[in-house]
Amino acid sequence: MTTVRGTLRSTETVESEASASTVSDARAAAVAGLDLVNNDLLQLNTVASKATGESTARAIARSRATRSHEASGPNYEAAAQAFRDSVPEGWQVLSITATD
């Protein structure tokens, strides 16, 4: 019997959008609109600049949430497949290790 243990990471993301008179101010405001205690900044883009000088920026952050996960099978291949098949929606595999 083989057991596969690993760590899962949430795929949840949050977004923030802000407009300001300069690109740098719009980007700073978009980042300030995110919870960066529980999330990591993933992407920051300027999405619009108008002739009036106003710019809009969008920031995206990914959750830092992780959790343990495990599955067993008669051999490594079966245990690894059971592990992958049982990963809940909204989570992705970060790492796995096997024990006999």
Side-chain angles (χ1 to χ4, degrees):
M1 181 67 85
T2 300
T3 299
V4 173
R5 293 183 177 91
T7 303
L8 305 181
R9 176 177 64 196
S10 173
T11 60
E12 179 183 0
T13 60
V14 292
E15 293 185 20
S16 173
E17 192 168 290
S19 296
S21 58
T22 67
V23 172
S24 60
D25 287 346
R27 292 168 67 91
V31 170
L34 296 172
D35 168 14
L36 294 179
V37 172
N38 297 308
N39 299 287
D40 289 319
L41 183 62
L42 189 60
Q43 186 173 350
L44 177 59
N45 296 19
T46 302
V47 293
S49 278
K50 298 178 182 172
T52 61
E54 186 172 276
S55 297
T56 302
R58 180 178 301 128
I60 302 171
R62 179 178 48 210
S63 174
R64 290 182 181 171
T66 60
R67 69 185 208 187
S68 298
H69 187 67
E70 73 176 54
S72 297
N75 54 43
Y76 174 77
E77 291 78 18
Q81 188 63 48
F83 182 92
R84 286 189 295 274
D85 291 346
S86 63
V87 172
E89 183 72 30
W91 294 83
Q92 67 185 114
V93 178
L94 278 182
S95 64
I96 61 170
T97 58
T99 59
D100 291 326

